[in-house]
Amino acid sequence: MYTKVLTFFVLIVTKHTQGQDVTCEFPCELRGRTLSIIDGTDTTVGVWTFTNDGVTSSYTVTSGSNSTDLLTCYQRIERFLIFRVNNDNEFLCYLFDYTPGMTPISFTFGIGDKRSTNDVCTFCDPQGSFKPFLAKESGQTPTGPDNLPCGTVSYCSDEYQCGANDTLPEGCPPTTIATTTETSTEPTTESTTEAITQPTKRCHKRRKHH
C-alpha cells in the first residue's frame, strides 16, 4: 500500500514538473483498445493503440512514412486533448467527436498541426488543419469520417467555437478495494511441547566374592 501511494505521489510531482495536467486522461472506454484510423476515402491509414494507464498511446501511420509516435496526454480542455509527442517539446491538438457507450467503438476526430508551443488558442483553432479521420475498432467495416462538429475551444475565437459544457467523458474512476477483517470465534489453543525427562537409575553391578 505504501509503495502504491508513493508511486502515485511521484507521478503527480513528475507531471507538475513537466507542466502536464494531472487530470489529463483519455476516456476510460479507450483503455487497452486498438483502433484503425480511416480517412475520407475509406482507406486505413493508421493504427492507434491506447495503453491501460489512461495517459499514453501510440499512433502509427501505416501509409507513406510508416512512423510511430508516442502520445502522452498533456492537457484536457472541453472536447480537446493536447498530447505531448515522444516526450519532446512538441505538441498535437486532437479534437474528438466522441460519444460514450459505443459498441463497437467508433468516433470522428481531427488532428491539428504539430507545434512547439502548448498554447491552446494557437493550435486548437479553426485554422489548425483539423482534417477529419475515423477511429474504429480493428476488424470493423470502415465508413468514412463525418464532419467535425466545431473547430476551436469555446474561449479562443468568435467563430467555430465548441460549447464550454461539451466535454469528453472522464477517465476511469479510482479503484477502491474494500478489505474485511473477520474475527474468529474459535478458541485459541496453544501447543506446548514439554520435554519429559525419565529418571535414570545407575546400573549397580554386584561383585561376586568367591
Side-chain angles (χ1 to χ4, degrees), residues 1 4-5 8 25 28 31 52-53 171-179:
M1 180 65 182
K4 291 182 178 179
V5 172
F8 182 70
E25 293 184 3
C28 185
R31 291 192 179 194
N52 286 317
D53 64 7
C172 296
T175 302
T176 303
I177 301 175
T179 56

Side-chain angles (χ1 to χ4, degrees), residues 64-135:
S65 61
N66 196 24
S67 60
T68 299
D69 285 327
L70 175 67
L71 303 180
T72 304
C73 195
Y74 185 84
Q75 193 171 5
R76 178 191 183 101
I77 301 174
E78 298 167 6
R79 62 164 66 240
F80 297 84
L81 285 181
I82 297 174
F83 289 99
R84 180 191 289 272
V85 183
N86 297 325
N87 294 320
D88 295 328
N89 288 323
E90 288 189 316
F91 303 88
L92 281 171
C93 183
Y94 278 56
L95 166 61
F96 285 76
D97 186 12
Y98 181 90
T99 303
M102 296 175 292
T103 304
I105 290 177
S106 175
F107 62 91
T108 303
F109 69 99
I111 308 174
D113 294 329
K114 187 182 295 185
R115 303 289 181 96
S116 59
T117 174
N118 59 354
D119 178 66
V120 176
C121 294
T122 299
F123 69 145
C124 290
D125 59 35
Q127 305 303 320
S129 301
F130 282 117
K131 180 180 178 180
F133 293 92
L134 177 71

Side-chain angles (χ1 to χ4, degrees), residues 16-56:
H16 273 300
T17 302
Q18 296 177 346
Q20 184 176 345
D21 182 357
V22 295
T23 64
C24 188
E25 293 184 3
F26 44 72
C28 185
E29 292 175 311
L30 299 182
R31 291 192 179 194
R33 305 280 186 172
T34 296
L35 308 179
S36 297
I37 308 303
I38 301 156
D39 67 7
T41 64
D42 289 351
T43 301
T44 300
V45 295
V47 176
W48 197 354
T49 301
F50 296 85
T51 63
N52 286 317
D53 64 7
V55 177
T56 56

